[in-house]
Amino acid sequence: MTTADRLVESTRELLWERGYVGTSPKAIQRRAGVGQGSMYHHFAGKAELALAAVRATAEDMRAKADAQLSAPGTAYERISAYLLRERDVLRGCPIGRLTQDPDVVSDPGLRQPLDETFAWLRGRLAEVLAEGRARGELAEDLDVTTTAATLVAVLQGGYVLARSAESVEPFQHAVRGVLGLLAAQRRDVSDEERA
Amino acid sequence: MTTADRLVESTRELLWERGYVGTSPKAIQRRAGVGQGSMYHHFAGKAELALAAVRATAEDMRAKADAQLSAPGTAYERISAYLLRERDVLRGCPIGRLTQDPDVVSDPGLRQPLDETFAWLRGRLAEVLAEGRARGELAEDLDVTTTAATLVAVLQGGYVLARSAESVEPFQHAVRGVLGLLAAQRRDVSDEERA
DNA sequence: GTCTATAGATGGATAGAC
DNA sequence: GTCTATCCATCTATAGAC
């Protein structure tokens, strides 16, 4: 990894752990094993490093979600797999975390990747739900747009509950709860329709 | 208001806006209109002030939620009223916000009020759901514990989505989505059962 | 109780040598 | 490209006068 890459990686970790206000250039340098002058040679400052870090993290998050959501299976199976996939719950979401930082959301450049990521995720989930509905797997009157927003919110809120409890339990409950509600929207697909 | 009260109020506002790391004693003093020496006369430091502030905010939050959830009406109506009540969505949740702060969750004294608040809220929602189920208003097989966690998570996650989008829309979608799913759990209550 | 003075550490960045 | 030195502001708190 190049020096610049190590700086971005360190910044990603620190933004996840401590947020934007809680992350200092000095801490980034220390973690990356890079000196002061070196950092300022590659990046103009904290804000520029944060932007590179946030963009990389956002892209990662989209790629991971798409892997689950574009897999084979019914809509319910794919959404279930996405919600239940292994997560480092107590660390929270590296993107969602930043929405709490006023210095991030007040900076259009920094907020944009957050907005795009969640907008994409809601859209992708809505597509999966719409596919399931079109195939007769899900109730005809299911509102895919609002339900997609609910699914993303359950994950993000689940992290909040888990961190307050210092336990993954409330996260798992929240996920299982919404999956239970979604399961009630499933419909039987006849053999002829499947063909 | 006494000087101590004004300091706690200012701390509450700043913790909400900027979190624990983002809030400095100097900023608290300025907002409260209180001098340096005066603050340190009434409170040992930032941590002690934060504790008083967090406890007050947590109590407020429980009281407000209980007002909606203990009102008359069916379980669905009360939960609906709670979820849809007017909120300053873009400011986020003053309690949930703090779960992102490592210096808060790593301090048992500061984390406790957060944990208690969300545990209480999940329990209270589970009670309301259980009442509705017992009265035949809700499906017999509804899992009240996980559904309660889902409801709280939708609110907390809704704030995250709203702040990322700088718009209340995703929050409203998430809430309407989960209410739609919950509505499918409603059952008819016959006249005799109602009597 | 409140004020001013002071202190050591850290934050975020620049300057210039090598 | 990387290093060290330096800079000014802010952070968090203490000391002591009033």
Side-chain angles (χ1 to χ4, degrees), chain B:
Chain B
M1 256 202 308
T2 70
T3 298
D5 286 343
R6 264 181 293 129
L7 284 165
V8 173
E9 285 308 304
S10 301
T11 305
R12 292 179 62 178
E13 291 173 16
L14 284 164
L15 286 181
W16 194 357
E17 292 169 22
R18 310 201 43 82
Y20 187 79
V21 265
T23 296
S24 71
K26 195 156 294 187
I28 295 171
Q29 296 150 26
R30 200 180 327 119
R31 188 168 297 211
V34 161
Q36 187 93 332
S38 191
M39 189 197 102
Y40 282 103
H41 171 74
H42 291 285
F43 295 92
K46 174 175 165 172
E48 196 174 298
L49 255 168
L51 186 56
V54 169
R55 284 181 174 157
T57 300
E59 192 151 346
D60 259 30
M61 186 169 149
R62 285 194 290 267
K64 275 190 192 170
D66 204 37
Q68 311 277 340
L69 295 176
S70 297
T74 66
Y76 183 85
E77 284 166 355
R78 285 182 283 162
I79 284 171
S80 186
Y82 171 61
L83 292 182
L84 295 170
R85 91 156 176 230
E86 212 167 286
R87 292 166 190 276
D88 209 338
V89 172
L90 289 181
R91 291 183 75 188
C93 172
I95 295 296
R97 198 241 178 279
L98 298 173
T99 64
Q100 302 302 320
D101 219 309
D103 294 345
V104 169
V105 292
S106 69
D107 178 332
L110 279 176
R111 187 176 62 79
Q112 187 181 7
L114 314 184
D115 189 13
E116 285 174 358
T117 299
F118 286 126
W120 173 86
L121 187 52
R122 289 193 286 139
R124 190 73 192 87
L125 282 163
E127 282 173 10
V128 172
L129 290 168
E131 279 173 40
R133 195 180 53 179
R135 288 182 193 150
E137 294 166 12
L138 294 170
E140 272 180 26
D141 65 345
L142 178 68
D143 185 329
V144 298
T145 301
T146 61
T147 304
T150 298
L151 293 170
V152 181
V154 164
L155 285 178
Q156 294 298 316
Y159 289 127
V160 169
L161 300 184
R163 286 180 64 92
S164 78
E166 228 172 24
S167 154
V168 299
E169 197 200 57
F171 177 93
Q172 291 171 340
H173 279 194
V175 165
R176 275 161 40 200
V178 80
L179 280 176
L181 294 174
L182 188 62
Q185 301 294 314
R186 285 185 297 183
R187 298 294 179 264
D188 278 339
V189 179
S190 70
D191 286 331
E192 34 190 336
E193 282 169 317
R194 226 187 322 253

Side-chain angles (χ1 to χ4, degrees), chain A residues 75-93:
Chain A
Y76 183 84
E77 284 166 354
R78 286 182 283 161
I79 284 171
S80 187
Y82 171 62
L83 293 182
L84 295 171
R85 93 157 175 231
E86 213 168 285
R87 292 164 190 277
D88 209 339
V89 172
L90 290 180
R91 291 183 76 188
C93 172

Side-chain angles (χ1 to χ4, degrees), chain A residues 121-169:
Chain A
L121 187 52
R122 290 192 286 139
R124 190 74 193 85
L125 283 164
E127 282 173 10
V128 173
L129 290 168
E131 278 173 41
R133 195 181 52 181
R135 290 181 192 151
E137 294 165 12
L138 294 170
E140 273 180 25
D141 65 345
L142 179 67
D143 185 328
V144 299
T145 301
T146 62
T147 303
T150 298
L151 293 170
V152 181
V154 165
L155 286 177
Q156 294 298 316
Y159 290 127
V160 169
L161 300 184
R163 286 179 64 91
S164 78
E166 228 171 25
S167 155
V168 299
E169 197 200 56

